[in-house]
Amino acid sequence: MAGRALLLAGPPGTGKTAIAMAIAHELGNKVPFCPMVGSEVFSSEIKKTEVLMENFRRSIGLRIRETKEVYEGEVTELTPVETENPMGGFGRTISNVVIGLKTAKGTKQLKLDPSIYEALQKEKVEVGDVIYIEANSGAVKRQGRSDTFATEFDLETEEYVPLPKGDVHKKKEVVQDVTLHDLDVANARPQGGQDVLSLVGQLMKPKKTEITDKLRQEINKVVNKYIDQGIAELVPGVLFIDEVHMLDLETFTYLHKSLESPIAPIVIFATNRGRCVIRGTSDIYSPHGIPLDLLDRLMIIQTTPYKVAEIEQIIKLRAQTEGLSIDEEAVASLSEVGSKTTLRYAVQLMTPAFQSAKVNGRTQIIKEDILEVNDLFLDAKRSSEFLQKSSKFMK
Ligand SMILES: Nc1ncnc2c1ncn2[C@@H]1O[C@H](COP(=O)(O)OP(=O)(O)O)[C@@H](O)[C@H]1O
Ligand SMILES: [Mg+2]
């Protein structure tokens, strides 16, 4: 999978960003998709290459299957036990917490460490919830509300889960989807140990700490080991870099190097530039502003302006998704406008056109509405013509 890269090149408004969004949608939520814009790398606080590397690792997923020793069940009881503060003073502290767990097979009462009480509070665990507690780390995961409570209210946002089968204390296969960036963050925490897996549970509390190249290499090593052992599986995702001509020579070089590494996502670039100067240099011209050696790796897909018939189709689809009613003649007229200006402009006219229809007491957009709003608003081309003519107004 290493180093596959694709370039979408074409004029503005030819659907490059739209294609990327469609890809993200198709991939679903189990495959990482990380969108960014070239200019994002320029920050006054973070190094350019660091921004790039972070997004690079956000685009690589890891599916980890672990068999864990857990206590699982519906919470029947949750009682913190308080004692006098051993250090003196008036405060009381929690010495332990007693929790009752129920499954289809039986019940069990556990006496747990106060740190687990904190974890239970963070997960907002209440009586009637189905949870599991990892035996070795004490991590608590709330799975949902027990479905015996499902009829309590008519309308709820809660997720209901069945009462777990088997014993309370058991071995359970847990599948987790994380990205390499998640692992970086989890392991950059100062109290972090060497074991990636044991830290996965801490992922929900990202903290601002340094992630170094050395740490990443360490993590790659552990990840590779887990892949070899069959515990984890690499899920190649997609890194989408829009307006890629905004990157400079340094970031391009870094990107090229990263693409060579065996653990790399699929990278999709998009640009609307033709031949131009590579940013960060004064006189190196290159197609799309991308250095030739990197360009050489890319499969290039040309996107071309939409034809009238295609614009028509897109307008109809848009109208459908936005719940706007528009007649055939208006679609044709709007497509005509779109082919002379841009697809984006045509799509943007739909909302005001609908307002115009409403003002005239209709629920359907007709040709007159299109002509009216096209008269009211200017596209970029007409606007610049207007500015040129009235030179005393603006220079
Ligand atoms: N195939 C398509 N279906 C629906 N809408 C589209 C399609 N292609 C482009 N669009 C719409 O057209 C406009 C311009 O497309 P965009 O992807 O932003 O162009 P680019 O990134 O090439 O400049 C956007 O509003 C987008 O939602
Ligand atoms: Mg775009």
Side-chain angles (χ1 to χ4, degrees), residues 194-196 218-232 263:
Q194 300 300 305
D195 186 358
V196 176
E218 288 296 313
I219 290 179
N220 284 358
K221 253 190 240 159
V222 180
V223 165
N224 279 328
K225 199 176 81 196
Y226 285 139
I227 293 171
D228 286 343
Q229 291 171 352
I231 301 170
I263 301 181

Side-chain angles (χ1 to χ4, degrees), residues 363-379:
T363 52
Q364 191 176 43
I365 301 172
I366 63 169
K367 191 176 171 185
E368 274 78 68
D369 300 317
I370 304 296
L371 297 180
E372 190 189 336
V373 290
N374 190 33
D375 231 21
L376 283 174
F377 298 101
L378 297 178
D379 64 285

Side-chain angles (χ1 to χ4, degrees), residues 68-69 115-116 119 133-140 197-199 201-202:
K68 282 183 175 165
E69 194 186 329
S115 68
I116 296 180
I133 304 172
E134 284 174 25
N136 58 354
S137 66
V140 174
L197 288 183
S198 69
L199 284 160
Q202 301 182 3

